[in-house]
Amino acid sequence: MTQEANIPESLMKIAVEPKRRGAIFQVEANNKGLALVDAKSGTLKIYVLIDPEAEQVLDTKFFTYGGPLLTALADILCEELVGKKIDEIQNLSLETLFGKFGINPDSEAFQIVEKLSAMIVEVYPEKKQIALAAIAAMGSAKLKAHTATGRAEADAEWNALSEAEKIAKIEEALDDSVRSMLAGDGGGLEVLSIKNNKTVLIRYQGACAACGAASGGTLYYIEDQLQQHVYYDLNVEPDWTMDNG
């Protein structure tokens, strides 16, 4: 395209170091009770994470194999969308947004981005229903954290606890929903510590120490239970440094 060869320097800087390049996955949205709109047009795919109650964009990412102009326009759009309500997106003027860079609305890159902007609004109602279903299936800790306000409250409550209090809550959740399952297969686990305020370091015991699922399905289940019932942002890391046999 002729316009690709004449990209303004300001756009080229964005294309070289975009802030929003990347991806957001459905499992991440489901875990947080958020709606994920992922739309694709041409060589550009955009991901928009939306709070289904406030109908507000919380995060955006994009990926493209297109040239620098498309990369720059996608990054500008993604930055613009964060914090916006769905009705604001519907009324967003890309001619105004991109006009200050001298971008021709007839250019291929402009039209690709414009199409995706419209698709976000069109696809959102369906994605909202998926998010609401995920919220309905959540445990108490995740349920509280499915909005920005709820996450802020959950973070404040968690950070106010001492490490001993945090471990006590974790132990209670493990006793309620995890340890009996592991014991049925001849295994168990010990909580060693909490790293960086949200990584629960555990040591498998008995049969779990030699089980292949200990780093897969079992680990995922333990992590999910703690996120559901203790703190939505917890992750679990097994300690393999000792022989647990």
Side-chain angles (χ1 to χ4, degrees):
M1 296 190 303
T2 56
Q3 201 166 11
E4 288 282 341
N6 300 298
I7 299 175
E9 184 179 351
S10 56
L11 279 183
M12 186 57 74
K13 288 181 179 178
I14 296 172
V16 171
E17 296 183 354
K19 298 178 181 178
R20 295 280 170 179
R21 191 198 301 273
I24 303 173
F25 300 101
Q26 188 64 55
V27 66
E28 177 183 348
N30 290 345
N31 284 342
K32 296 178 179 179
L34 301 174
L36 175 62
V37 174
D38 50 341
K40 186 176 185 298
S41 177
T43 60
L44 174 63
K45 186 169 186 177
I46 190 171
Y47 305 84
V48 183
L49 201 60
I50 304 169
D51 180 339
E53 288 195 348
E55 301 208 318
Q56 184 176 26
V57 176
L58 300 180
D59 194 12
T60 57
K61 298 289 183 184
F62 78 92
F63 186 79
T64 181
Y65 288 110
L69 179 58
L70 186 57
T71 298
L73 295 189
D75 198 59
I76 293 169
L77 176 63
C78 284
E79 284 281 284
E80 182 71 17
L81 292 180
V82 175
K84 283 209 163 22
K85 303 272 191 176
I86 290 297
D87 57 355
E88 292 178 304
I89 297 175
Q90 194 166 12
N91 298 320
L92 180 64
S93 170
L94 295 188
E95 288 193 26
T96 300
L97 181 62
F98 297 145
K100 57 188 175 184
F101 297 100
I103 301 302
N104 184 349
D106 293 329
S107 70
E108 182 180 354
F110 184 103
Q111 291 178 3
I112 288 174
V113 175
E114 185 176 46
K115 181 178 179 180
L116 287 183
S117 181
M119 288 174 67
I120 293 167
V121 177
E122 179 182 346
V123 173
Y124 171 67
E126 176 186 347
K127 299 295 187 175
K128 178 179 179 179
Q129 294 307 310
I130 295 174
L132 294 177
I135 291 170
M138 283 181 179
S140 57
K142 278 192 176 180
L143 182 60
K144 183 173 183 179
H146 79 275
T147 65
T149 300
R151 286 193 298 278
E153 292 177 356
D155 291 343
E157 290 176 5
W158 181 251
N159 292 333
L161 298 175
S162 67
E163 181 169 344
E165 290 171 327
K166 290 172 182 175
I167 290 178
K169 285 184 172 291
I170 290 167
E171 293 281 11
E172 182 180 358
L174 293 174
D175 287 343
D176 286 344
S177 59
V178 174
R179 284 196 166 103
S180 59
M181 184 261 303
L182 299 181
D185 291 325
L189 66 81
E190 174 189 4
V191 176
L192 300 178
S193 63
I194 300 175
K195 300 192 305 182
N196 303 320
N197 200 39
K198 63 180 183 180
T199 299
V200 182
L201 185 64
I202 66 169
R203 179 178 298 145
Y204 285 117
Q205 299 169 324
C208 289
C211 177
S215 59
T218 300
L219 183 63
Y220 177 82
Y221 176 76
I222 295 168
E223 191 170 272
D224 181 67
Q225 289 301 303
L226 294 183
Q227 290 174 352
Q228 291 274 6
H229 302 296
V230 180
Y231 176 51
Y232 75 97
D233 207 22
L234 286 177
N235 55 77
V236 180
E237 180 180 313
D239 175 21
W240 304 109
T241 59
M242 295 180 62
D243 180 5
N244 302 322

